[in-house]
Amino acid sequence: MSKDWWKNDAAGIPKIITETPGPKSKAMHASTTRYMKGLSSQVKLFPVCFEKGFGITLTDVDGNKYLDFSSGIYVTSLGHCHPKVSEAVAYWARTLMNAHDFTTPVKEKLMIKMAEILPDGLNAIQLYSDGTSAVEAAIRAARAITNKHEFISAYRDFHGKSLGAVSCAQMYRGETYSYGPTRAAGFYMVPRPDPYRPLWTKKDGTIDTDAYINFYETFLKESTVGNVAAFVLEPAQGWAGSIFPPDDFFPKLRTLCDKYKILLYDDEVLAGMGRTGEWLTLNHWGVKPDIVTFGKSFGNGFPVTAMVVREENGGALEKISASSSYGGNPMACAAALASIEVIEEEDLLNNVRTVGNYFMKRMTSMKANHPIVGDVKGKGFLLGIELVKDKNTKEPFDEAGKLVYQKAFRKGLAWIPAGHILRMSPPLIMDEKYAKMGMDIIEEAIAEVEKEFGYNN
Ligand SMILES: Cc1ncc(COP(=O)(O)O)c(C=O)c1O
């Protein structure tokens, strides 16, 4: 199949023919939310109803067609309804939908393919249906591997919404109602380096990675009972705004983990499977984790996730009753296998690196030209633009974030932001023409918001 399968459909976008959200969207959303509750802030800020997705476009029920800079929510990374993935799922939907965790031909192929793309020796695998379940399984696996029970995660990491996963993050703050203590006993959080907002700096003002590592070492002695099973970290923080650590952070953390016999658990649910131009984002820094989780892009929209530990620790998965009702069903395996094959066949890791360079160049020029763009960040197709009220104080500019989000959406860009960091997650198939189109829309929206708030540029 040609890798241009999506291009005809994209011709002529964005196509906005009604006010947005349009009348049908509004009516359908009102009728749905009569019953459906607990929506994300993105949806509340722009309650559009989508009817169709193909490649890099999304079409709403009023017939407006948007350029997609969200991939669902970092999920449909090969474009909506990639024909190879859809066909693979459809075949197994007709042939065998579920056989618990028995082996199937498509599972055999997926296991072999995964072992091929994963770092050497990282190949003891179990499959799940959502990222959170994979994270929960990873926490249990870490306990089983080490016979230890404490976990350290980082400020502004996100790992899911069940009680174990939520204990690796801070989800509720401010006036948001909390349904109880959000962190179970034995779960701790530490700061991790954000180059734009460093907690510790060297004399020359650059971020001091060693200071973070030294603090962790003190923390291990003073705050834990010396039973830390794992550091649980996103390789780059997705939800927090596409925040990448300095290049020396993970290598140094790996050394610290080895010194104290602590596992390094790399949660690649959001950043993995090609989004930053590598199968694992941690590959950028030559660091091999002990545990990895995948999700989101893994099945390009079909719910399938994975938890992987090193071969020598595979026995731990026998101790934790690792299987589940839906994990590894044939449709899920087919979606994951086809997705990996598409990344290989369409040379998408390479595309992500090349077009990713364009994104970064473009965002860097926005930073130079716009008073409210405090920082730009990212690798490949995992991108963030941080809006501030003042470049000196770096005060977050949430109101501007919301407005830019809404304005760009009205201009035909379906995307993710909700806070002061504009987050972008375009499908990995996107070429420079459409990358430019999206960036133009964003820059126009930023300029309009600056004008509204009285900034001159
Ligand atoms: C890094 C990370 N881990 C885990 C999860 C949870 O995945 P899911 O929403 O599929 O349960 C997410 C979701 O955004 C995530 O970003």
Side-chain angles (χ1 to χ4, degrees):
M1 179 195 315
S2 158
K3 57 197 273 195
D4 294 340
W5 60 273
W6 51 273
K7 284 199 175 156
N8 278 346
D9 168 80
I13 57 159
K15 189 180 105 192
I16 302 298
I17 54 175
T18 70
E19 60 159 357
T20 54
K24 282 190 189 158
S25 267
K26 278 185 188 146
M28 210 172 274
H29 183 74
S31 147
T32 302
T33 51
R34 160 83 179 78
Y35 306 107
M36 179 87 190
K37 305 294 176 191
L39 305 180
S40 70
S41 48
Q42 283 100 329
V43 174
K44 286 180 186 150
L45 285 170
F46 205 85
V48 64
C49 298
F50 288 119
E51 186 166 62
K52 192 177 163 208
F54 192 79
I56 63 164
T57 71
L58 277 164
T59 304
D60 72 18
V61 289
D62 293 283
N64 300 300
K65 199 166 176 181
Y66 303 77
L67 170 63
D68 183 23
F69 255 43
S70 63
S71 303
I73 179 84
Y74 307 90
V75 170
T76 51
S77 289
L78 310 177
H80 294 279
C81 303
H82 191 293
K84 176 161 178 161
V85 180
S86 296
E87 187 41 51
V89 172
Y91 173 84
W92 286 101
R94 290 190 300 266
T95 308
L96 178 65
M97 279 191 176
N98 194 300
H100 188 211
D101 67 335
F102 283 97
T103 294
T104 57
V106 66
K107 186 185 283 178
E108 180 204 16
K109 285 198 179 113
L110 175 63
M111 290 301 108
I112 292 167
K113 178 54 83 181
M114 283 184 75
E116 211 178 288
I117 63 164
L118 284 165
D120 249 8
L122 196 64
N123 59 19
I125 303 167
Q126 183 55 255
L127 298 170
Y128 297 94
S129 314
D130 65 296
T132 304
S133 300
V135 169
E136 288 291 334
I139 290 170
R140 293 192 301 124
R143 284 183 170 158
I145 292 167
T146 60
N147 280 321
K148 297 192 277 186
H149 66 274
E150 294 177 294
F151 292 88
I152 300 180
S153 61
Y155 297 176
R156 305 193 69 72
D157 256 39
F158 178 70
H159 299 283
K161 297 179 182 173
S162 61
L163 283 180
V166 111
S167 295
C168 300
Q170 186 208 26
M171 273 190 62
Y172 305 101
R173 57 175 77 81
E175 289 174 8
T176 309
Y177 175 71
S178 160
Y179 51 76
T182 59
R183 212 160 302 125
F187 286 82
Y188 310 94
M189 292 180 78
V190 293
R192 62 180 274 173
D194 171 354
Y196 183 59
R197 297 179 183 279
L199 200 55
W200 293 296
T201 51
K202 295 188 243 178
K203 282 206 179 86
D204 66 2
T206 57
I207 194 157
D208 185 352
T209 318
D210 287 328
Y212 288 83
I213 300 292
N214 292 340
F215 173 72
Y216 300 167
E217 196 154 13
T218 308
F219 190 91
L220 287 172
K221 290 194 186 99
E222 301 295 337
S223 288
T224 76
V225 296
N227 256 309
V228 178
F231 271 88
V232 183
L233 292 174
E234 291 182 83
Q237 295 181 301
W239 169 83
S242 313
I243 299 169
F244 283 75
D247 289 340
D248 59 351
F249 175 65
F250 273 106
K252 286 177 178 169
L253 183 62
R254 175 75 268 179
T255 305
L256 182 79
C257 286
D258 292 342
K259 180 171 171 188
Y260 288 95
K261 300 202 170 3
I262 294 170
L263 303 177
L264 180 56
Y265 164 23
D266 171 31
D267 181 3
E268 299 256 357
V269 163
L270 186 146
M273 285 292 149
R275 180 139 296 279
T276 67
E278 291 279 353
W279 292 112
L280 270 70
T281 289
L282 221 53
N283 289 355
H284 286 290
W285 302 297
V287 171
K288 188 160 134 187
D290 301 293
I291 307 180
V292 184
T293 41
F294 293 110
K296 294 190 179 271
S297 310
F298 188 43
N300 198 44
F302 195 91
V304 52
T305 65
M307 188 264 293
V308 188
V309 304
R310 292 193 186 202
E311 188 165 14
E312 65 266 28
N313 294 325
L317 303 197
E318 311 303 330
K319 297 186 198 160
I320 65 165
S321 191
S323 67
S324 66
S325 301
Y326 304 111
N329 70 72
M331 294 178 291
C333 290
L337 177 65
S339 298
I340 294 172
E341 286 175 351
V342 166
I343 292 175
E344 291 179 330
E345 287 158 10
E346 299 187 11
D347 197 17
L348 291 180
L349 297 184
N350 213 15
N351 188 59
V352 168
R353 289 183 210 123
T354 316
V355 181
N357 286 340
Y358 168 78
F359 278 128
M360 191 43 78
K361 215 166 63 196
R362 188 64 198 271
M363 295 197 308
T364 305
S365 103
M366 280 190 210
K367 181 175 167 178
N369 296 324
H370 290 274
I372 68 169
V373 175
D375 192 35
V376 296
K377 47 199 113 216
K379 252 189 217 305
F381 280 32
L382 178 54
L383 308 164
I385 300 175
E386 183 154 359
L387 303 183
V388 293
K389 292 186 179 168
D390 180 311
K391 289 199 185 191
N392 293 318
T393 65
K394 299 184 181 177
E395 187 183 343
F397 205 167
D398 281 310
E399 307 89 308
K402 283 180 192 152
L403 269 181
V404 172
Y405 170 65
Q406 289 171 320
K407 280 180 187 290
F409 223 130
R410 275 190 209 110
K411 293 173 194 289
L413 188 77
W415 63 328
I416 303 173
H420 78 289
I421 306 187
L422 310 174
R423 289 185 284 155
M424 288 142 285
S425 163
L428 312 184
I429 54 175
M430 190 171 284
D431 61 16
E432 197 170 309
K433 171 178 164 186
Y434 291 99
K436 178 177 181 314
M437 182 181 286
M439 283 288 152
D440 286 347
I441 293 175
I442 292 168
E443 188 156 13
E444 211 177 282
I446 289 175
E448 286 174 16
V449 167
E450 282 173 338
K451 214 176 241 170
E452 276 182 36
F453 281 100
Y455 289 82
N456 296 316
N457 41 343

